[in-house]
Amino acid sequence: MKLLVVEDEHKIANSIKKGLEQESFVVDVAFDGTEGYDLASTNPYDVIILDLMLPGIDGLTICKKLRAEAIHTPILILTAKGQLDDKVAGLNNGADDYLVKPFAFAELLARVRALGRRPAHRVNTVIQVEDLELNTNTFEVKRGGKLIPLSRKEFGLLEYLMRHVNTIMSKDQIINNVWDYEADVLPNTVEVYIGYLRNKVDKPFKGKTQLIHTIRGFGYKLGT
Ligand code: CA
C-alpha cells in the first residue's frame, strides 16, 4: 500500500513515516498543504493521512478539493485534542476517519489498515435516470431491474449521456469524451452507436418513456 502523510510538524511526520515503513508501507511525506494537495491530486495513494492545520492550503480545503475532483482516496484526518468541530467539519468535507493528537502509533496503524481495505470508489457508483440504472463499479446496466448487456463503448456512451441527463450533447462533445484521441471516428460513428443503445435501452421497453433523443442539427440527449 502507498500512503501520503501531509503534516507540517516534521517530528510527527517523520515518526509516522518511519513507523509505517517498518510495517512495509510505501510512504510519501508533504510538509505543507500545497505540496500535499499536488501529490494527492496527481498520484494514486491507498490512504492519505492529513493534518488539518497546515501552511499553504489547510487540510479541510484539501479534502473538499479532492472530493470535488472525484478523487475518493480514503482520508484519515489528524486533529488537535478537543477540536470536536474540526472532526465534524472533516467528516462533512469527505474525510473517512479521524484521529485525535496525540495518538498511539498502534491506533494510527489500525485506522490506516482499516481504511486501506475499503474500496476507493464507494460513492456515486450508481447513476439513475428514471428506471435506468448504470453501475460504474460493476459495469451493470439495468432497466426496470432487467439486465442490459452492453459493449464497452456502448457503456461509455451511455454513462456519458446519463451524467449529462436532459442536456443536449453535440457529436463533437461525445467524440471527445467517449472515444480516445487515437481512435478512428467516422462522421456517422456516434449515430451508429446511438442506434445500438436505442435498440437495447429503449426499443425493448415499449410502454416506457423513451430516453434517448436525437435533436436534429444539435446532437443527442438522454432524458425525459
Ligand atoms: Ca499542523
Side-chain angles (χ1 to χ4, degrees), residues 1-5 16-17 20-21 25-29:
M1 283 216 289
K2 192 171 179 183
L3 311 178
L4 173 65
V5 176
I16 293 176
K17 178 179 165 75
L20 289 171
E21 281 176 348
F25 293 101
V26 178
V27 185
D28 285 348
V29 174

Side-chain angles (χ1 to χ4, degrees), residues 126-135 140-148 150 157-159 161-163 165 197 200-202 205 208-212 222-224:
V126 175
I127 311 170
Q128 183 157 10
V129 176
E130 295 276 298
D131 60 345
L132 180 65
E133 282 177 25
L134 179 144
N135 188 317
E140 276 181 357
V141 173
K142 289 179 187 169
R143 182 147 193 196
K146 190 173 177 283
L147 205 61
I148 302 174
L150 295 180
L157 175 58
L158 184 64
E159 180 182 355
L161 293 174
M162 287 179 79
R163 283 192 190 281
V165 62
L197 274 187
K200 294 183 174 182
V201 169
D202 275 339
F205 303 91
K208 296 190 170 181
T209 315
Q210 300 294 288
L211 294 172
I212 299 169
L222 187 145
T224 50

Side-chain angles (χ1 to χ4, degrees), residues 7-9 51 53:
E7 164 65 85
D8 59 316
E9 286 166 70
D51 185 32
M53 297 278 283

